Amino acid sequence: QEPAMIIYLDNQTNRKGQPNENFARELFELFTLGEGQYEENDIKEAARAFTGWQVNRKTGAFFVNVRDHDQGVKTVFGQTGNYDGQAVINLLFTEKPQQVANHLVTKLWKQFVSPEPVLAEVDRLSQIFIANDFELRPLMEALLLSDYFWSSNQAVLVKSPVDLVVGTQRIFGLNITEKGLLRQMGQQLEQRLFLPPNVKGWPGGNDWITSSTLLARAQLMGQVTRSIGGMTGRSGQKMSPGYQNHLDHSLDEWYSLLLPFGGVSPRADTVVGQSQQNLVVTAIAAMLADPMYQLK
């Protein structure tokens, strides 16, 4: 019932006698069931149930336009009744719980663990999801505590631009939270915030890395390194007390934070003849330039 959902999926034009199937189709295909888990007639009937679901353009408030709603009997997933939109959503979880759970767990697996789900583990997590009435917290707890999350499957997912930019900002406390700057960085890395290429969103995965985005990522990490050099006084500026903690951490701690699964670049702390301050900045620069830092 969010305005973005209603407007982006054309439900503003979904009216009695002239149903628009886009909202119902994407609800089933993308957000709950996945392809092949419903019949075409389920889409047609569900579209009728969602007629009249609209948004006030001035206030952004959701409302049901009774004049545009189809009050007739519908048949969805083999069940017949005078269903409205909320009833269809309830049917998804009562008639297709396993399909919904498998679909959502698989999407979360690909986001947090690896590109290739382990079917037996997906089934185990799906049962936890169902048993907890589709609450996300117990599912995420089970997923993030699973052996697969902590196994060698890690460091096989490419960080999205948001992961890369916001994650780096949080680690170093950089002041890049200004909206315009975040939007500019996202555009350079081909993830324009709040403007996905289609309703499915960004493809993600290895698609984040192209010849242009790889260069943009390297340039961004170079900017971060220069910022850190300035903050620690390496550039000749007076060192900010707020960043003294960068020097308080050992290089092993930095490697475990930035490259927890190892890198391909030589360790910068093998270089001799540098002050501790310069050594930290040199080491961090090497870690940020390491291809492994682009992975999560």
Side-chain angles (χ1 to χ4, degrees), residues 80 82 101 117 151 207 276 285:
T80 300
N82 184 14
S151 73
D207 288 342
Q276 172 67 13

Side-chain angles (χ1 to χ4, degrees), residues 96-165:
K96 302 275 189 176
Q98 191 66 54
Q99 293 90 330
V100 172
N102 285 349
H103 183 66
L104 296 180
V105 168
T106 297
K107 289 169 75 75
L108 289 168
W109 182 286
K110 291 180 178 180
Q111 180 68 26
F112 290 99
V113 183
S114 71
E116 297 297 331
V118 177
L119 297 183
E121 188 67 1
V122 167
D123 184 66
R124 182 185 76 86
L125 293 169
S126 294
Q127 298 312 311
I128 293 173
F129 201 19
I130 294 171
N132 286 278
D133 199 24
F134 293 93
E135 287 288 335
L136 281 171
R137 184 183 294 272
L139 169 61
M140 291 306 300
E141 180 179 5
L143 177 66
L144 298 179
L145 291 177
S146 71
D147 291 339
Y148 287 96
F149 179 79
W150 295 100
S151 73
S152 58
N153 281 326
Q154 287 286 299
V156 294
L157 299 173
V158 178
K159 291 176 182 174
S160 72
V162 168
D163 285 331
L164 182 65
V165 172

Side-chain angles (χ1 to χ4, degrees), residues 111 158-171 176-177 179 181-196 202 204 208 213 217 220-221 293-294 296:
Q111 180 68 26
V158 178
K159 291 176 182 174
S160 72
V162 168
D163 285 331
L164 182 65
V165 172
V166 176
T168 302
Q169 184 267 333
R170 287 180 174 176
I171 288 172
I176 55 174
T177 55
K179 292 180 181 179
L181 187 57
L182 283 174
R183 187 163 52 246
Q184 178 184 350
M185 289 180 175
Q187 186 166 346
Q188 292 172 346
L189 302 180
E190 297 186 5
Q191 186 178 28
R192 299 179 64 186
L193 294 179
F194 306 111
L195 194 62
W202 294 276
W208 287 127
T213 61
R217 284 170 177 251
L220 176 61
M221 292 302 101
Y293 184 67
Q294 300 294 327
K296 62 178 180 179

